[in-house]
Amino acid sequence: MTTLFQELFARPPESYGEAPGRVNIIGEHTDYNGGFVLPTAIPQRTHIILAPRSDANVRLASKDLGTSIQTCEYVLGQEEAKHRWSDYIEGATWLLQQKSMPIQGFDALIVSDVPLGAGLSSSAALLVALFRGLRRLYQLPIDDVQIALMSQTVENEFVGARVGIMDQMAASLADAGTALFLDTRSMNFERIPLPLSKMEMFIINSGIKHSHAHGGYNTRRTECESAAQLLGIKQLRDFSEMDLPQLEQLPEVLRKRARHVITENARVQRAVHALLASDLEYLGQLMIQSHASMRDDYEVSVSEIDFLVQVACADPAVYGARLTGGGFGGSIVGFCRTGEAHRIVNDIKHQYQEKLGREATVMVPAPAAN
């Protein structure tokens, strides 16, 4: 990266930042409802290296998997959302100026192997990596939780994606050996060890891209807010499974959305207990239930994702699998018996190609050495 930076900007970098993508084990669409989530970091990461400028110009270069280098320039104080990748960078500098943080222009090179639109939080990884790099470059007084909150603000207020806080907290605080059990209302979190000696995780990208800034994601959030208002509560987090009969007063669509959120919050808490007890059969059942709820009540799955989950769960070595991320495409996550993951993902890929004519990409596990 350093050599490429010097080729592009004719000087060496002076700061860096990085952050992982994430996969959500369970707890989907609960974060913007004040609920519980359980993500973990994935091996894929976003890296950024920077050098300061003496003027207000920002020069950017970005290289993702399989893409050529993309460049962009803008001037601090003239940030504008244009529905392109640089919106996230412009949103970050816009917010820092809103907070009167001492920044000036800079050159930056971004390199990432977190796939775009795969439900693995490429945008959160980018923002967290950028804020970390700028924190080092300008000695900004912001901690990791503040970085997560600021990243969410950029997505909500500048990019226009009404996402919750899970992705940003995961990119800022999660690691690969634990699951981040996060209460998105109190912001309390606990790292739950993953029993990786007894199970393997697999993640498969369907190849169908989604976008949080457009379409159904924002609609789902509005539907949840409407349901909570009609129920007379602040957020759907305020209801438990004991309150499910009260959903009968809601219109059908809002009833389904609320039912998913309420039951999903309960599944997250049960999944934590399952992990702590290494009860992988129960964890798998919770994941299967979660996928069914996302498919039928929240209606954010698509047929290709359902196919991947169905094929995975038909394998006797798989404990469970589900759609992960906001939906409308993206990836699946699953757990299986130790030593079986490579065989399972290869079989799923083959059936996806053979039956649907589509190419899936295995994100985890990494390809086996020859």
Side-chain angles (χ1 to χ4, degrees), residues 77-367:
Q78 298 179 20
E79 291 87 351
E80 181 183 357
K82 302 180 182 70
H83 305 296
R84 60 183 184 180
W85 64 272
S86 63
D87 286 359
Y88 296 94
I89 313 299
E90 295 193 46
T93 58
W94 163 80
L95 182 59
L96 288 170
Q97 291 169 97
Q98 294 287 309
K99 292 180 173 293
S100 300
M101 294 283 183
I103 66 167
Q104 59 195 55
F106 57 88
D107 296 333
L109 170 63
I110 304 155
V111 176
S112 179
D113 60 359
V114 184
L116 303 178
L120 301 174
S121 297
S122 59
S123 59
L126 171 58
L127 283 164
V128 171
L130 174 65
F131 279 123
R132 285 176 170 172
L134 292 173
R135 176 173 64 183
R136 288 190 178 97
L137 191 61
Y138 296 118
Q139 291 80 52
L140 302 179
I142 49 177
D143 62 26
D144 288 339
V145 173
Q146 288 173 301
I147 281 179
L149 291 167
M150 290 169 65
S151 297
Q152 182 194 22
T153 298
V154 171
E155 294 218 50
N156 288 176
E157 298 183 15
F158 192 88
V159 177
R162 301 183 67 208
V163 297
I165 192 60
M166 172 183 65
D167 293 356
Q168 298 81 10
M169 285 289 282
S172 195
L173 296 170
D175 59 58
T178 64
L180 188 74
F181 177 39
L182 172 66
D183 179 337
T184 65
R185 173 173 286 179
S186 68
M187 297 295 284
N188 292 329
F189 63 90
E190 179 183 358
R191 292 183 174 93
I192 307 299
L194 295 175
L196 296 176
S197 63
K198 301 179 180 179
M199 69 179 188
E200 288 184 278
M201 181 170 66
F202 59 89
I203 305 168
I204 302 175
N205 178 5
S206 70
I208 301 171
K209 291 187 177 182
H210 69 173
S211 171
H212 283 169
H214 304 95
Y217 188 95
N218 287 346
T219 299
R220 293 301 183 279
R221 180 162 184 167
T222 299
E223 289 168 342
C224 289
E225 291 167 352
S226 298
Q229 184 177 23
L230 289 171
L231 292 167
I233 54 179
K234 182 179 179 181
Q235 290 178 299
L236 292 177
R237 153 72 179 273
D238 294 315
F239 266 18
S240 70
E241 289 178 305
M242 296 288 290
D243 300 301
L244 286 174
Q246 294 191 49
L247 303 188
E248 294 304 314
Q249 64 184 285
L250 297 175
E252 181 182 7
V253 169
L254 300 187
R255 181 168 64 249
K256 292 166 70 174
R257 305 299 186 252
R259 183 167 57 212
H260 165 74
V261 173
I262 293 165
T263 58
E264 187 79 345
N265 272 324
R267 282 188 287 269
V268 174
Q269 295 174 83
R270 290 170 184 146
V272 169
H273 293 299
L275 282 172
L276 291 172
S278 295
D279 189 345
L280 305 181
E281 295 285 354
Y282 186 42
L283 176 65
Q285 288 302 309
L286 291 167
M287 295 174 75
I288 292 168
Q289 292 168 17
S290 174
H291 180 77
S293 182
M294 294 179 73
R295 180 193 64 213
D296 300 335
D297 277 348
Y298 222 68
E299 299 180 288
V300 293
S301 191
V302 295
S303 60
E304 294 86 351
I305 290 287
D306 293 339
F307 179 85
L308 291 172
V309 170
Q310 181 181 7
V311 173
C313 292
D315 192 302
V318 170
Y319 295 113
R322 61 183 288 275
L323 165 65
T324 186
F328 309 103
S331 302
I332 70 164
V333 60
F335 289 108
C336 65
R337 296 194 184 101
T338 303
E340 298 280 2
H342 284 105
R343 176 190 63 77
I344 288 165
V345 296
N346 288 332
D347 181 57
I348 294 171
K349 274 193 66 173
H350 174 73
Q351 292 199 50
Y352 194 55
Q353 174 67 48
E354 183 179 66
K355 302 289 179 57
L356 301 187
R358 301 195 65 98
E359 185 70 26
T361 303
V362 176
M363 308 304 301
V364 175

